Amino acid sequence: DIVMTQSPLFLPVTPGEPASISCRSSQSLLPSNGNTYFDWYLQKPGQSPQLLIYLVSTRASGVPDRFSGSGSGTDFTLKISRVEAEDVGVYYCMQALQLPHTFGQGTKLEIK
Amino acid sequence: QVQLQESGPGLVKASETLSLTCSVSGFSISSGFYWAWLRQPPGKGLDWIASIYHSGDTYYNPSLRSRVTMSVDTSQNYFSLQLNSVTASDTAVYFCARRAALTGYLNWGQGILVTVSS
């Protein structure tokens, strides 16, 4: 299985400040077809996960542009340009290059 | 608007079979996409269990393959999960979800907590 490792696991942020979450995969997620099957999800308290970003950097429908994704190969980053109160929850990275799809441990973002 | 809804017993006895159904509305399963089950043990992260394509091709997590069966009923527009010989470690919130090959798990059910009792 591909192991996904996130850091930090806990992220206290002041509203209006930026935030960044890293995710590293145990092997490269770049297949021969050029698509990197890597997603970011946010699970708000008491809710199901919601898709934020797919293919490393494409925002899902309705996701604010303060969220951005980047990276390649084995190292990926989710950035929030200005954190808002509604961004609290647990962020997960996920690889879909090969089965089983695997998730990072999660990063809990809280507002200071 | 695509909606998914899990249903099934919230309590299962150890060694018995967990059976869940995901009803889909707003989209025909037979039209495509991958349909999946994932789970989240209390206070822990997410695990992928299985996926099924509308054609019936199934894919299972190797860690559960010997105990899991996933099926689809396109006429009734739902898909199902069976997990045999459950133990306390199978206690989790179970989610059903829809995924396109490229665009991530787009839609999720609200989740159903299944507790395995001894």
Side-chain angles (χ1 to χ4, degrees), chain A residues 1 35 37 39 41 43 48-51 54-55 92 94 96 99-101 103 105, chain B residues 38 40 44-46 48 59 61-62 95 99 101-106 108-110:
Chain A
D1 298 2
N35 292 316
Y37 297 95
D39 310 328
Y41 296 84
Q43 187 173 28
S48 306
Q50 60 186 80
L51 177 66
Y54 60 92
L55 294 177
Y92 295 95
M94 194 208 84
L99 295 175
H101 294 167
F103 292 83
Q105 320 96 301
Chain B
L38 304 95
Q40 184 172 39
K44 296 189 177 181
L46 295 160
W48 173 82
Y59 310 87
N61 192 318
F95 296 100
R99 180 181 179 90
L102 295 179
T103 55
Y105 286 100
L106 297 161
W108 296 68
Q110 65 183 27

Side-chain angles (χ1 to χ4, degrees), chain B residues 28-103:
Chain B
S28 173
I29 288 178
S30 60
S31 296
F33 287 83
Y34 292 89
W35 306 88
W37 287 99
L38 304 95
R39 69 181 182 180
Q40 184 172 39
K44 296 189 177 181
L46 295 160
D47 297 313
W48 173 82
I49 302 171
S51 291
I52 193 166
Y53 195 50
H54 69 96
S55 62
D57 292 340
T58 53
Y59 310 87
Y60 299 124
N61 192 318
S63 67
L64 298 169
R65 180 172 287 138
S66 63
R67 298 195 292 131
V68 66
T69 303
M70 191 173 175
S71 60
V72 63
D73 186 328
T74 54
S75 64
Q76 299 294 316
N77 219 41
Y78 70 84
F79 58 100
S80 301
L81 174 74
Q82 283 197 323
L83 183 64
N84 303 325
S85 305
V86 297
T87 69
S89 63
D90 294 311
T91 294
V93 175
Y94 286 76
F95 296 100
C96 58
R98 178 181 79 146
R99 180 181 179 90
L102 295 179
T103 55

